[in-house]
Amino acid sequence: MKISIAAIGHLKSGPEKDLAAEYEQRILGLGRKAGFTGLAIHDWAESRARDVKLRQQEEAKHLWSVVPDGAPVLVLDERGEALSSEVFAKLLAAEAGRGARQLTLMIGGPDGHISETRSKALKTISFGPMTWPHRMVRVMLLEQIYRAVTILVNHPYHRA
């Protein structure tokens, strides 16, 4: 299964971009052993529409544009369910085991996701009730995907 990240906001040069690139390489290096055939990251600039609802709608169009019909989607949102790393790993493995060709994880813009995006998703997950900058969320998500891979292949990186 290919893992795809669809995000509002670009990473600029700096430590977050460097760390994200490191986790991307780690995922690609070990991911095949866990059944992950690739990693794609798509990102778009934040909408400049004046109205919050319009911004969310424009951003949702971008995010959903990379999701194949019927493919599972996990939405990152502060209102979502906080998962342990082990449960997150099992969720990824379950979707791969169901034969999903792609799983997309969505990171919204500063206004969050439109309600239709959350309702269409397989699951809405959270890194806690705090609000995080998109740059940090991207790195945290990549680290958790890598951690999930290491859990699934019994690599010593994850120590519970």
Side-chain angles (χ1 to χ4, degrees):
M1 173 178 77
K2 179 178 169 184
I3 296 176
S4 179
I5 296 174
I8 300 301
H10 301 295
L11 283 185
K12 296 179 176 83
S13 294
E16 295 93 351
K17 189 169 188 168
D18 296 342
L19 193 52
E22 180 179 331
Y23 282 117
E24 288 175 47
Q25 290 308 306
R26 288 182 182 196
I27 292 164
L28 292 171
L30 195 57
R32 285 204 184 277
K33 288 183 180 178
F36 304 128
T37 59
L39 174 69
I41 298 178
H42 311 275
D43 59 20
W44 299 268
E46 297 169 17
S47 169
R48 298 205 184 279
R50 293 182 189 265
D51 177 74
V52 170
K53 189 87 165 171
L54 285 174
R55 283 194 299 270
Q56 289 175 319
Q57 288 172 340
E58 287 179 9
E59 291 170 354
K61 284 181 188 175
H62 290 305
L63 296 171
W64 285 98
S65 72
V66 297
V67 179
D69 288 341
V73 171
L74 301 177
V75 172
L76 277 77
D77 188 278
E78 64 188 12
R79 292 164 280 204
E81 180 183 353
L83 305 177
S84 70
S85 296
E86 292 87 354
V87 170
F88 182 65
K90 287 177 186 174
L91 179 59
L92 297 184
E95 291 308 309
R98 283 189 185 91
R101 298 186 75 190
Q102 177 177 310
L103 171 81
T104 303
L105 296 110
M106 291 184 178
I107 301 170
D111 299 306
H113 294 282
I114 195 164
S115 62
E116 290 85 357
T117 290
R118 291 190 306 277
S119 65
K120 284 173 41 178
L122 171 69
K123 189 174 220 37
T124 301
I125 61 176
S126 171
F127 286 146
M130 293 181 173
T131 302
W132 296 95
H134 74 270
R135 298 180 327 231
M136 297 288 291
V137 170
R138 175 117 39 126
V139 172
M140 291 163 50
L141 178 58
L142 286 164
E143 191 281 337
Q144 283 300 301
I145 293 168
Y146 176 67
R147 185 174 296 274
V149 167
T150 65
I151 290 168
L152 295 172
V153 301
N154 295 313
H155 186 280
Y157 178 81
H158 177 73
R159 294 178 187 94

